[in-house]
């Protein structure tokens, strides 16, 4: 039999989202996010899956919507509910914030819930929400949150802030440049390497601080900056 086209596969996976088998639903949500040009019907199906009784299906559904970018805008109300629901875990909230950021300006209705998230005790969620807010409305406070967490003593938080900074559009990365440079003194090597990667993506403005860092550093990862 001929191989299914992506659009035919999408229809198959959308049907599987309604199956009783939780493994089929989880797999379908994941695979829908891997399709480059999904049909419009994928968005409402995945939005419905955000209330699936299996947590992992919700993880993959919210991730898949993020891969659709602005095309996932109709799902914004359901993503907001996911962030506010006490039934969801931190993974859903973190991925949900990232998805709203990928949707961008069309997710403007999520500004309130994302602003509330800036006060969350979950620092990863806080950084993800800040990045989303910056993508949606250019919030200066959002970049302040990310810059502060670049210097967090907790290595996981600082690492996530660094990788998040690297994924921001160029204007956001350039605004964070002095904070990224300062973060090169972080005591955790993985954090330093994530910051180097972010600086490399900035390009010419980061050449001088990166050169100085390389002269002082003997870490294996320094070759990444040279590239």
């Amino acid at each position: 039999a001929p191989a299914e086209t992506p659009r035919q596969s999408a229809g198959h996976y959308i049907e599987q989202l309604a199956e009783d088998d939780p493994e089929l639903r989880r797999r379908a949500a994941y695979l829908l996010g891997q399709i480059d040009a999904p049909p419009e019907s994928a968005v409402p199906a995945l939005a419905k899956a955000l209330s699936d009784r299996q947590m992992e299906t919700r993880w993959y559904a919210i991730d898949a919507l993020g891969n659709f970018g602005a095309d996932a805008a109709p799902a914004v109300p359901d993503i907001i509910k996911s962030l506010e629901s006490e039934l969801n875990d931190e993974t859903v909230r973190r991925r949900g914030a990232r998805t709203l950021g990928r949707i961008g300006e069309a997710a403007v209705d999520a500004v309130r819930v994302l602003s509330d998230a800036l006060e969350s005790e979950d620092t990863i969620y806080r950084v993800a929400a800040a990045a989303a807010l910056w993508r949606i409305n250019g919030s200066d406070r959002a970049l302040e949150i990310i810059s502060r967490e670049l210097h967090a003593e907790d290595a996981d938080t600082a690492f996530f802030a660094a990788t998040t900074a690297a994924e921001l559009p160029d204007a956001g990365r350039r605004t964070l440049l002095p904070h990224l440079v300062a973060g090169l003194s972080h005591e955790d090597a993985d954090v330093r390497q994530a910051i180097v990667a972010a600086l490399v993506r900035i390009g010419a403005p980061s050449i001088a601080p990166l050169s100085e860092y390389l002269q002082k550093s003997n870490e294996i990862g320094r070759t990444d900056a040279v590239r």
Side-chain angles (χ1 to χ4, degrees):
E4 290 182 313
T5 66
R7 190 165 292 275
Q8 288 172 326
S9 296
H12 178 65
Y13 299 143
I14 288 170
E15 290 178 359
Q16 287 189 335
L17 284 176
E19 293 283 349
D20 289 334
D21 186 339
E23 177 60 22
L24 280 180
R25 298 198 309 275
R26 181 200 63 76
R27 179 175 178 273
Y30 169 77
L31 291 173
L32 275 172
Q34 309 308 305
I35 295 175
D36 291 334
E40 290 184 8
S41 56
V43 172
L46 287 165
K48 184 177 180 180
L50 295 181
S51 58
D52 191 275
R53 58 185 178 275
Q54 183 195 45
M55 187 72 73
E56 287 189 10
T57 298
R58 291 179 237 164
W59 292 350
Y60 290 116
I62 212 159
D63 257 358
L65 289 166
N67 291 339
F68 298 169
D71 290 340
V76 167
D78 296 283
I79 298 171
I80 293 172
K81 290 178 183 177
S82 292
L83 267 60
E84 294 178 323
S85 174
E86 295 182 356
L87 297 178
N88 285 324
D89 65 3
E90 61 185 13
T91 299
V92 171
R93 287 188 287 274
R94 293 169 177 180
R95 294 185 182 188
R98 182 175 61 187
T99 288
L100 289 169
R102 290 177 173 176
I103 293 172
E105 294 179 0
V108 65
D109 288 346
V111 166
R112 178 192 58 78
V113 69
L114 291 170
S115 296
D116 290 345
L118 298 184
E119 307 300 330
S120 172
E121 294 183 1
D122 179 352
T123 55
I124 304 297
Y125 180 34
R126 197 158 64 212
V127 171
L133 276 173
W134 190 85
R135 287 176 177 269
I136 293 169
N137 64 9
S139 167
D140 290 335
R141 185 183 175 212
L143 290 186
E144 290 174 3
I145 295 287
I146 297 172
S147 65
R148 185 179 71 206
E149 300 302 351
L150 282 168
H151 309 292
E153 291 185 10
D154 177 69
D156 288 340
T157 298
F159 181 84
F160 185 74
T163 56
T164 297
E167 293 173 358
L168 288 176
D170 189 55
R173 290 196 299 266
R174 287 176 180 252
T175 301
L176 290 171
L177 176 59
H179 302 284
L180 288 165
V181 171
L184 289 171
S185 62
H186 198 283
E187 64 179 16
D188 186 87
D190 289 336
V191 172
R192 294 195 297 272
Q193 290 306 304
I195 289 174
V196 166
L199 288 169
V200 168
R201 295 196 65 180
I202 292 174
S206 64
I207 290 177
L210 275 175
S211 297
E212 182 179 352
Y213 173 71
L214 289 173
Q215 290 172 5
K216 297 178 180 179
S217 172
N218 61 358
E219 293 175 2
I220 295 174
R222 65 186 184 279
T223 54
D224 294 334
V226 173
R227 295 193 189 101

